[in-house]
Structures are given as C-alpha cells and as structure tokens.
Amino acid sequence: MTTPPIDPAVPPSGPGCLDCDNTGGWWFHLRRCAACGHIGCCDDSLSRHASAHAAQSGHPIIQSYEPGENWFWDYSANDYYNGPDLAPPHSRPDDQSTPGPADRVPADWVEQLRNRTD
Ligand SMILES: [Zn+2]
Ligand SMILES: [Zn+2]
C-alpha cells in the first residue's frame, strides 16, 4: 500500500466543476480532489468529471464539496476514506444552486439524469 496523495494546503479550484465550466455543462453535486484541489462533478452528474479526474490524474481521494458534508471517498479502494482537514473553503457557496450553475441547468434536468444511459 502506498500513501494516497493528499495535500491539505491546496485550496479548491473554484466554486463549481472546473470541467463543466470549461465545456458549458452543469453538475448535480460537487467533489474536491484531495491532492490538487480540482473541483469536479459527482458520479450522479451527467459528466462525472470528479471520477474522470481521478482516473486521468492518479489522484484517488476526493472529498464532498457540498455544504455540511465532509466525507472522503477513495476511488482506488472503492470505499470511504479517513482524510485530514483540507484548506478552506470546505464547500461550494451556500447560495449556489443544486444542480448548478443556475444559468446552465436545463429545465428537464431530472429527466436527463434519470435517462442517462452511459
Ligand atoms: Zn463536471
Ligand atoms: Zn487531483
């Protein structure tokens, strides 16, 4: 076993999914990479950018970036992880919508998530 790469000093990349912001997409919930601060969307989102980042970067540990949630997940072990206190902020802004961002969420977002086929 190697120690998973976690850098508690790195702040999160921003308030929303970095990759959705680059592609004009939208997310359901947000996850934070514990190694580099990358904010990505969760596996219940259409694009699953958090797990894609983990696969591409080799950074297996994420923490929830939702207000009131502080659990970690280890993609390599497929299990919860007991991580350290990371640099603030610990969640997206409280006034940010879920899903988000508000100006890019389609009216039929519930259907889109339910009908996801990949
Ligand atoms: Zn995303
Ligand atoms: Zn990372």
Side-chain angles (χ1 to χ4, degrees):
M1 287 289 291
T2 54
T3 304
I6 292 179
D7 188 343
V10 177
S13 60
C17 173
L18 200 59
D19 303 294
C20 283
D21 282 343
N22 285 336
T23 60
W26 57 278
W27 56 80
F28 187 44
H29 288 140
L30 295 170
R31 307 292 179 240
R32 169 188 185 168
C33 175
C36 72
H38 173 276
I39 299 298
C41 47
C42 70
D43 284 354
D44 292 321
S45 303
L46 289 182
S47 300
R48 302 176 178 174
H49 286 129
S51 56
H53 170 77
Q56 287 164 7
S57 65
H59 300 161
I61 312 289
I62 50 122
Q63 185 179 34
S64 177
Y65 201 51
E66 294 297 316
E69 297 183 358
N70 60 7
W71 49 265
F72 288 80
W73 182 259
D74 182 346
Y75 284 110
S76 62
N78 205 29
D79 201 358
Y80 289 99
Y81 185 83
N82 192 10
D85 193 27
L86 302 179
H90 294 109
S91 66
R92 62 169 175 79
D94 279 334
D95 59 0
Q96 190 168 292
S97 68
T98 297
D103 59 345
R104 291 205 301 264
V105 177
D108 64 342
W109 69 269
V110 173
E111 300 298 323
Q112 289 199 26
L113 291 184
R114 186 185 295 145
N115 295 334
R116 188 184 62 187
T117 52
D118 59 16

